[in-house]
Amino acid sequence: MKNIFLAGALLVCQFSWAQYTDINIVKEVKVKNKGVVVSAHPLASEAGAKILKMGGNAYDAVVATQYALAVVYPQAGNIGGGGFLVGVKNTGEKFTIDYRETAPAKASRDMYLDKKGKANTDWSQNGRLAVGVPGSVAGFFATLKYGKLPMKKLIQPAIDLAEKGFAITEQEANLLNVHQEIFQKHNASTSMAFVKNTPWKAGDILVQKELANTLKLIQQSGAKGFYEGKTADLLVSEMKKGNGIITLDDLKKYKVVERKALEFDYKDNHIVSMPLPSSGGLLLAQMLKMSGYENLEKYQQNSAQAVQIMIEAERRAFADRAEYMGDPDFIEDKTAYLISDEYLRNRWKSFNFNKATPSSEVGKIIPQPKESTETTHISVIDKDGNAAAVTTTLNGLYGSKVVVSGAGFFLNNEMDDFSIKPGVPNMFGAVGGEANSIQPHKRMLSSMTPTILLKNGKPYMVVGTPGGTTIPTSVYQSIVNVVDFKQNANISVNAPKFHHQWLPETVMAEGNFPATTISELAAKGYIFEKVRQLGRTEMILIDDNGNIHAVADGRGDDSVAVE
Ligand code: GLY
């Protein structure tokens, strides 16, 4: 461990894992008059910071970081998936870009039901039929409208990383090893970069020539270099090797949607988050408002009272998710009503400090859990005060596990985020109904919650995390840790987290969650289940004087880079 002071930095608390010569993991930075990037991988954060140094703004940097993540963080970084961007410019302009995957034209409501009408989650989670039409590359091009630099420059760091290779971290090595068998099951190609005869270990160099060539095609031909021509042909041939249904026409017709941000006030903050088809912003608004009715700040962080209030807010919000939320281009968008005080005060009436509210009393009952913590988040602020929060995903770890042969990138398994049969839980244990049923071209409901808090009109916090359905609850807790419990960014991000999602009835809690809180709540009827980790939150806080405090979650290889 070593402390390094960066030129121009007000104060820098940095430590590096010197285990790998070229990978420095920086967990926390305090700086002024400089841009910062926080992401799941040090090389991706550095790619973004390099773009800031070249004169790019936050939107340029977030694109370069995403391209780099597609190379150095193949478990969730992607060009074969989708995501959401929430931006606030220093002019006050707010915008969101929805580059969520869509159901292919040939998709249908019951496509994952077997002959007996039983949902087959293996089809929706693994292999070619699980893949939604990727949106990421179209999203990166849509983001250019807000940036300053050409795509040719933004993609170059990723091309270099793919072509020359990079030293993998211990976490990545472990994950690759665990997935060798399933990669081989779904990929016949012997040229696949992710499979090798001997176990992966930290420091091994991962070279991805096919991916480098795919990125070069995008560099040369723009979005068409992905959605048409050689890469599109390779993707469609990959579909035909199994039961995939994405066609050239699906790829050509993919469109991003710029949506009005979901905005609401919480105490002296104005919150800007992602609207449907992500449930993230809506759930966040519901949870903050409901726990606000109990004056959450009166209680201690992670005390039994505070946690009970928050669990009950989470329970009610997630029951609404299952019933009402889906792609607003296909269903009636009830957001305004669902976040109104008129609705939420009534919903909160059943809260009782004496006992847990049974989930059956806040929504229709349907069973079961399952957990996964994929997806990845990037928080950026540039020296001019432009902010970007992006969450992007392949859905599961390495998505469908299918790599496009000849093109070198993983395809998502985002179709599993639809309600494949009303009442059947997806890989996150979330159940859904008609609002999120499959239809051609529809976007599957997401939980991603890229969020920016403003104070006096200026970015105060940029935050987000991976974690499937645990995303909105981790973002919620990270925000109240700062706003209500007055913690700094480091404590807020790394504090033990919990998660409840209406169904199952159990509350997940990280291993280091206070045992006294758990036993007090168990006495009131709450059932806790210990989980390894919840989220990997990337947070930037900016105070009134422009001092920036950026924190990368301690749960992974996440890292901050300064321009
Ligand atoms: N695939 C995780 C999400 O969109 O929430």
Side-chain angles (χ1 to χ4, degrees):
M1 200 188 276
K2 58 185 174 182
N3 286 320
I4 298 172
F5 285 82
L6 298 184
L10 190 67
L11 170 67
V12 180
C13 311
Q14 170 171 345
F15 69 83
S16 69
W17 255 346
Q19 196 175 355
Y20 327 118
T21 48
D22 54 351
I23 295 193
N24 275 340
I25 296 183
V26 180
K27 287 297 181 191
E28 185 177 16
V29 167
K30 290 183 177 176
V31 73
K32 197 173 179 176
N33 299 324
K34 294 238 172 216
V36 295
V37 179
V38 197
S39 84
H41 197 285
L43 295 172
S45 299
E46 274 168 28
K50 192 167 163 184
I51 291 298
L52 292 175
K53 236 178 250 165
M54 286 167 67
N57 67 12
Y59 311 109
D60 297 311
V62 87
V63 169
T65 307
Q66 286 175 91
Y67 274 124
L69 282 170
V71 179
V72 298
Y73 195 67
Q75 58 183 275
N78 68 82
I79 55 171
F84 299 112
L85 179 150
V86 172
V88 178
K89 289 172 64 175
N90 58 6
T91 55
E93 185 189 344
K94 299 152 195 135
F95 62 98
T96 79
I97 303 175
D98 165 357
Y99 42 105
R100 183 69 161 164
E101 299 91 327
T102 54
K106 285 186 192 152
S108 58
R109 189 182 184 283
D110 296 335
M111 63 189 278
Y112 297 112
L113 303 190
D114 66 15
K115 286 193 186 112
K116 292 183 178 148
K118 194 167 170 290
N120 186 329
T121 49
D122 187 40
W123 294 344
S124 65
Q125 290 173 11
N126 298 303
R128 292 158 185 81
L129 193 60
V131 185
V133 182
S136 291
V137 174
F140 303 160
F141 278 92
T143 310
L144 280 189
K145 176 174 147 193
Y146 299 95
K148 300 201 300 196
L149 298 181
M151 187 61 87
K152 284 186 171 27
K153 287 201 166 137
L154 308 183
I155 201 170
Q156 191 60 48
I159 294 174
D160 293 341
L161 286 162
E163 202 154 49
K164 294 178 189 149
F166 63 97
I168 62 168
T169 64
E170 194 172 348
Q171 287 212 4
E172 196 70 56
N174 291 341
L175 275 181
L176 286 171
N177 288 334
V178 168
H179 286 82
Q180 292 297 290
E181 209 172 298
I182 193 157
F183 289 164
Q184 281 164 314
K185 178 176 167 193
H186 290 289
N187 299 281
S189 169
T190 46
S191 63
M192 194 197 178
F194 308 98
V195 172
K196 73 182 183 73
N197 294 334
T198 52
W200 290 96
K201 54 186 189 327
D204 281 353
I205 304 297
L206 177 61
V207 176
Q208 299 170 76
K209 293 275 185 218
E210 289 182 350
L211 179 56
N213 290 336
T214 301
L215 295 172
K216 282 181 193 167
L217 285 176
I218 299 170
Q219 192 178 44
Q220 284 153 20
S221 310
K224 283 189 178 174
F226 182 86
Y227 290 99
E228 297 178 40
K230 186 178 169 201
T231 303
D233 289 344
L234 287 169
L235 196 157
V236 172
S237 330
E238 191 60 57
M239 290 287 113
K240 290 182 182 153
K241 287 181 195 156
N243 50 0
I245 54 173
I246 295 177
T247 61
L248 286 175
D249 198 48
D250 285 326
L251 291 168
K252 205 168 167 180
K253 288 194 173 139
Y254 180 84
K255 291 247 171 328
V256 302
V257 185
E258 288 211 34
R259 300 186 188 272
K260 195 179 162 331
L262 177 59
E263 296 179 50
F264 58 97
D265 290 325
Y266 183 62
K267 304 212 161 160
D268 54 353
N269 301 282
H270 185 69
I271 299 190
V272 185
S273 192
M274 195 64 212
L276 293 174
S278 184
S279 60
L282 211 168
L283 295 173
L284 182 64
Q286 289 190 308
M287 294 184 294
L288 284 169
K289 285 186 168 201
M290 282 190 274
S291 55
Y293 298 150
E294 295 296 327
N295 298 318
L296 192 61
E297 74 283 356
K298 279 196 320 203
Y299 303 98
Q300 284 252 297
Q301 182 194 3
N302 282 345
S303 64
Q305 295 97 327
V307 171
Q308 183 176 9
I309 292 166
M310 293 169 76
I311 290 171
E312 294 299 345
E314 293 174 5
R315 188 192 311 274
R316 286 156 180 77
F318 272 86
D320 284 355
R321 182 189 194 275
E323 186 68 26
Y324 301 115
M325 301 182 202
D327 182 345
D329 297 337
F330 285 75
I331 59 155
E332 188 191 346
D333 184 349
K334 296 192 169 76
T335 301
Y337 180 61
L338 292 173
I339 64 170
S340 68
D341 284 315
E342 176 199 358
Y343 174 72
L344 291 172
R345 282 202 182 273
N346 198 33
R347 195 107 175 89
W348 194 246
K349 274 187 188 151
S350 55
F351 173 73
N352 179 351
F353 259 126
N354 296 327
K355 64 176 179 66
T357 312
S359 283
S360 56
E361 287 180 15
V362 299
K364 287 182 232 150
I365 208 90
I366 343 160
Q368 287 154 79
K370 212 166 185 196
E371 173 54 2
S372 171
T373 53
E374 299 347 305
T375 303
T376 188
H377 178 82
I378 306 150
S379 292
V380 186
I381 186 111
D382 66 28
K383 63 178 181 328
D384 299 318
N386 299 296
V390 163
T391 315
T392 176
T393 187
L394 287 168
N395 197 24
L397 270 172
Y398 306 103
S400 61
K401 322 293 188 275
V402 176
V403 173
V404 177
S405 178
F409 62 92
F410 279 102
L411 288 166
N412 68 82
N413 60 347
E414 216 70 60
M415 291 297 284
D416 190 61
D417 267 346
F418 278 116
S419 164
I420 63 168
K421 181 176 181 180
V424 173
N426 69 3
M427 68 164 63
F428 304 108
V431 289
E434 277 311 318
N436 188 31
S437 62
I438 306 172
Q439 288 180 54
H441 309 299
K442 190 176 177 182
R443 285 160 147 84
M444 53 296 283
L445 184 64
S446 172
S447 297
M448 294 190 279
T449 318
T451 299
I452 299 173
L453 271 64
L454 307 181
K455 217 178 236 177
N456 305 319
K458 287 194 176 155
Y460 165 62
M461 181 193 293
V462 188
V463 66
T465 180
T469 46
T470 72
I471 294 173
T473 54
S474 286
V475 171
Y476 169 47
Q477 288 164 48
S478 301
I479 291 173
V480 299
N481 285 346
V482 172
V483 175
D484 293 271
F485 303 125
K486 310 289 178 221
Q487 304 289 7
N488 67 27
N490 194 343
I491 294 176
S492 166
V493 164
N494 292 304
K497 301 249 168 27
F498 61 93
H499 170 75
H500 182 56
Q501 58 179 47
W502 171 57
L503 294 177
E505 289 268 0
T506 44
V507 180
M508 295 174 197
E510 289 186 305
N512 55 347
F513 202 76
T516 46
T517 297
I518 292 181
S519 56
E520 271 185 61
L521 290 178
K524 293 181 178 184
Y526 293 91
I527 302 157
F528 281 83
E529 177 198 345
K530 286 271 169 81
V531 292
R532 197 174 58 85
Q533 72 175 59
L534 288 169
R536 286 166 63 170
T537 304
E538 322 293 13
M539 183 186 282
I540 303 173
L541 279 182
I542 310 106
D543 73 13
D544 285 348
N545 299 318
N547 297 307
I548 293 169
H549 186 183
V551 172
D553 200 306
R555 293 166 178 84
D557 297 327
D558 311 49
S559 190
V560 186
V562 181
E563 80 173 287

